[in-house]
Amino acid sequence: PRLLVPAGSRRAAAGAVRHSTEAQSAKARLRRAVLATAFRTGLGRLAFRDRLVVEAGGNAGGGALDAYLAAVLGRPALLSIHIGPARANRKPVVQLLDAAGVPIGYAKLGVDPLTRALVEAEAAALARLATLAVPGVQVAEVLHHGVWGGHALLVQSALPVGLPRAAPAPPAEAERAAMVAVSRCAGVDHRPYAGSAHDRRLGAELAALGDRPEAARLRAVLDDVRRVDPVLGLGAWHGDWNGGNSAALADGRVLVWDWERFADDVPLGFDALHRRVQTAITRAGVEPRAAAGRLIAGAADDLTPFGQPAGVADLVAVLYLVELATRYLRDRQAEAGARLGHVDAWLLPAVEEHLAGRPGAGGVAK
């Protein structure tokens, strides 16, 4: 199944459909609206006859999840789960609804070393963001952080995704302003890249990948950037900003969720670059290698609002792609079946081709 909804409540089932994912196209929004109407009128129960029955017991002392969450929230909650595509960081994300189908929160469970680390990282990120000024950006609140049945558990409030959205033209501007606010929320440092906190951290992560051939090529790319040693602005980023985890409201606020990759001491503008390349590949259907090449070539336009010095945009894009490749390799995305996990087939060739023709870059290993 792609989506599990409560079987005992029409309104809750319809609400689960409406709020299961952030629809990315008019067709997806129409399909979601039709499906929600079907469940609200009772037709959904007739069209979708499969049932999953969950029984309490055998849960290492955690008790039934719905009972545990009701105790945490101080009120009963109906559960719904959207099941996303195969990837290393896929984990249970449970939508919590009241009887009227209104979301009252979301619960994330870490079920293996990677997803446990991500749940813990998001809990820490949300706690930190609650202490920072991020103008125009609304972030969920932590309602509970603990352990259930041996799994890391994070329960956070539901953002008001049902409020009126911004008209088609302003959202891109509002989203970019929100990205800039996030990039500056923990302070900004302008300095030569070589020896910076990002350089040291990225170098250590590449070293930890050992003798993987992709890692050797990425280390050569990083060495090329060090040789150029551009002066860059360093700040924070969300870490996975895409169309499925943000929404621009008509009142000017931008809702942003899924903060498990939040980090600081990264080159300013990484979020804009991530949004650009992910949108090109997943929504516009651009071939991944071509999308990576276009990202590097057009990085100056994406980075202008972030105040990076002139002439360094392509190197910021290169560093972003090295960051992304390192993440995919560390998380073993290719082994988990993720489409973009094979970075040697798209990302690395685009980066190496660009650096081979860039004055002062020095060439990279192939």
Side-chain angles (χ1 to χ4, degrees):
R2 296 289 302 278
L3 179 65
L4 303 177
V5 304
S9 168
R10 292 183 182 181
R11 290 188 295 175
V17 170
R18 284 196 304 273
H19 302 292
S20 60
T21 59
E22 184 69 11
Q24 296 296 297
S25 66
K27 182 179 179 181
R29 288 190 291 271
L30 177 61
R31 182 170 60 245
R32 186 179 63 181
V34 170
L35 189 58
T37 300
F39 274 103
R40 190 172 61 251
T41 59
L43 294 176
R45 291 181 60 84
L46 301 177
F48 300 95
R49 295 180 175 274
D50 291 337
R51 300 290 182 271
L52 176 66
V53 179
V54 182
E55 296 179 354
N59 176 41
L65 181 59
D66 55 353
Y68 184 91
L69 292 171
V72 166
L73 296 169
R75 59 189 295 191
L78 299 171
L79 313 187
S80 171
I81 301 177
H82 173 260
I83 301 171
R87 50 184 182 161
N89 53 311
R90 182 168 65 176
K91 58 189 169 300
V93 179
V94 184
Q95 185 180 187
L96 313 176
L97 305 132
D98 66 16
V102 177
I104 56 179
Y106 290 85
K108 295 187 177 185
L109 288 161
V111 295
D112 57 32
L114 173 59
T115 56
R116 279 195 293 272
L118 291 174
V119 168
E120 297 296 338
E122 182 163 18
L126 291 177
R128 186 179 179 197
L129 287 163
T131 69
L132 300 174
V134 193
V137 177
Q138 183 169 346
V139 178
E141 299 177 8
V142 175
L143 302 179
H144 176 74
H145 175 217
V147 177
W148 172 81
H151 304 304
L153 172 65
L154 172 64
V155 184
Q156 51 191 281
S157 63
L159 292 171
V161 295
L163 291 179
R165 301 296 178 88
E173 299 173 11
E175 185 179 61
R176 185 58 52 85
M179 290 178 182
V180 172
V182 169
S183 75
R184 298 182 176 279
C185 70
V188 173
D189 179 27
H190 286 87
R191 56 154 297 153
Y193 180 74
S196 67
H198 184 261
D199 178 27
R200 296 194 304 272
R201 192 258 299 163
L202 191 57
E205 291 181 359
L206 286 171
L209 293 174
D211 59 0
R212 293 190 61 156
E214 307 98 325
R217 293 167 66 182
L218 288 166
R219 287 192 286 267
V221 169
L222 185 58
D223 284 341
D224 266 20
V225 177
R226 288 167 174 160
R227 276 191 288 272
V228 179
D229 198 15
V231 174
L232 300 180
L234 303 176
W237 75 317
H238 171 275
D240 189 21
W241 200 307
N242 59 67
N245 55 28
S246 65
L249 300 182
D251 63 10
R253 286 178 295 165
V254 177
L255 312 178
V256 187
W257 53 96
D258 290 349
W259 291 87
E260 62 192 25
R261 304 284 190 177
F262 176 74
D264 51 14
D265 289 322
V266 305
L268 298 173
F270 268 19
D271 277 326
L273 297 172
H274 187 79
R275 179 74 156 101
R276 174 74 66 187
V277 75
Q278 295 292 325
T279 300
I281 295 171
T282 62
R283 292 191 61 188
V286 178
E287 188 273 327
R289 180 171 175 174
R294 293 177 191 177
L295 181 76
I296 298 171
D301 290 340
D302 288 314
L303 297 178
T304 296
F306 295 88
Q308 287 286 17
V312 303
D314 65 322
L315 294 178
V316 174
V318 166
L319 288 169
Y320 157 72
L321 290 169
V322 174
E323 172 98 30
L324 188 66
T326 305
R327 176 190 298 179
Y328 285 172
L329 294 172
R330 182 186 64 239
D331 294 352
R332 306 188 71 82
Q333 292 287 5
E335 292 84 344
R339 177 189 175 196
L340 300 179
H342 297 279
V343 298
D344 56 337
W346 67 282
L347 187 155
L348 269 166
V351 168
E352 290 169 341
E353 181 179 351
H354 175 77
L355 289 179
R358 190 184 199 278
V364 295
K366 297 292 181 74

